[in-house]
Amino acid sequence: SDVLGLRLEDAYGALLARQPDVLGEAAGRSAGAILRALFREETERARIGEILTALRSTYRELPLVLQMPSPSAWVEWVWGLGLGKPPGGKPAKTPDADEIEAVAMYLADMLRAFADAGVDGVLLGENSGKGLGERFALYQPVVNVAHHYRWSLGLDVPGKGGGGDLPPAGAGLDFCILDAKATSKTDLPLGLRVAPDYWQEGKKPPPMDARRFRFAEIPADGVPETVLTQAKALR
């Protein structure tokens, strides 16, 4: 890899699995309240900080990036775990603006804990590109923290239409990762997401076109020998 990435949703998912009572009074409340409780858990913050410090000291030359859902996608992540639903009801199909804005503040507060961990960037993962330009404006607390610590800030947007509604220039975004068939009218540096089926034997690397870099994630069930061959071909 040319970049080191640490996925925070994996860390917090593991925390919930091993310590289900960590939510305390937030259990059974809104997704925002649940995320606030998770992000404020000091022991987990310290554990993530130790991992980041270890990665930084071991791989001094590689950029170190925190990967995580966007504030909107964090709410949907909680819903996907079966949490954050009102008693006897179901959550809305999409998070509302007030909840997204609140989660952005909780997330920004959590990220400040890693100011001295050697982080170089933050990559926010979206679940959809629809309405992204308007939604991104609610992420301002995260944008402010990233720029304060001089971290690059990127968006990972799925779908063929993922680039059709990117945030406008000057919104605070440094780069965006899009699918191969996504089109976009933007001056932002764009990355190309490598499709999961690329890791099958004999697949050719996707053409870069106007993209500046490729973004690939190796599947957990990939055949090691094939993965090594395909990774070498990407270079």
Side-chain angles (χ1 to χ4, degrees):
S1 177
D2 294 320
V3 177
L4 295 173
L6 183 65
R7 300 179 69 98
L8 292 195
E9 68 267 38
D10 292 345
Y12 284 104
L15 172 63
L16 282 170
R18 70 176 181 267
Q19 193 177 335
D21 61 346
V22 70
L23 297 178
E25 295 181 357
R29 296 177 61 191
S30 68
I34 288 171
L35 289 166
R36 183 184 186 190
L38 284 177
F39 293 160
R40 287 188 171 185
E41 216 288 316
E42 293 293 339
T43 301
E44 191 61 22
R45 284 192 188 189
R47 192 178 76 88
I48 293 170
E50 290 172 359
I51 294 172
L52 289 170
T53 300
L55 288 172
R56 180 74 291 155
S57 62
T58 304
Y59 302 97
R60 296 181 182 275
E61 303 302 321
L62 294 181
L64 180 58
V65 174
L66 285 170
Q67 291 179 246
M68 69 201 76
S70 69
S72 175
W74 269 117
V75 175
E76 295 181 4
W77 179 80
V78 169
W79 290 349
L81 295 176
L83 303 171
K85 299 178 181 179
K90 297 181 179 180
K93 292 183 179 180
T94 57
D96 64 41
D98 289 341
E99 189 159 41
I100 293 173
E101 199 165 25
V103 171
M105 289 189 292
Y106 307 149
L107 182 58
D109 178 69
M110 182 262 284
L111 290 175
R112 291 187 185 96
F114 311 126
D116 299 321
V119 172
D120 297 294
V122 173
L123 179 61
L124 302 176
E126 292 287 346
N127 290 331
S128 170
K130 186 177 181 180
L132 182 55
E134 182 177 346
R135 192 165 66 245
F136 186 79
L138 303 173
Y139 303 169
Q140 194 61 46
V142 177
V143 175
N144 293 343
V145 167
H147 286 192
H148 177 74
Y149 295 121
R150 298 184 179 180
W151 297 339
S152 294
L153 180 63
L155 276 181
D156 181 10
V157 187
K160 295 179 181 179
D165 193 19
L166 292 180
L173 193 61
D174 296 303
F175 67 93
C176 191
I177 297 168
L178 301 176
D179 287 346
K181 296 183 179 180
T183 58
S184 175
K185 296 179 180 179
T186 179
D187 294 328
L188 284 172
L190 296 179
L192 172 67
R193 182 185 297 100
V194 176
D197 64 0
Y198 170 74
W199 301 102
Q200 299 173 14
E201 187 174 2
K203 287 281 187 177
K204 294 183 179 180
M208 291 288 287
D209 298 326
R211 312 294 177 95
R212 298 192 185 183
F213 61 92
R214 294 188 181 100
F215 177 73
E217 294 184 293
I218 297 171
D221 59 353
V223 178
E225 294 79 8
T226 303
V227 165
L228 287 173
T229 299
Q230 294 300 99
K232 185 177 180 180
L234 283 177
R235 298 181 181 275

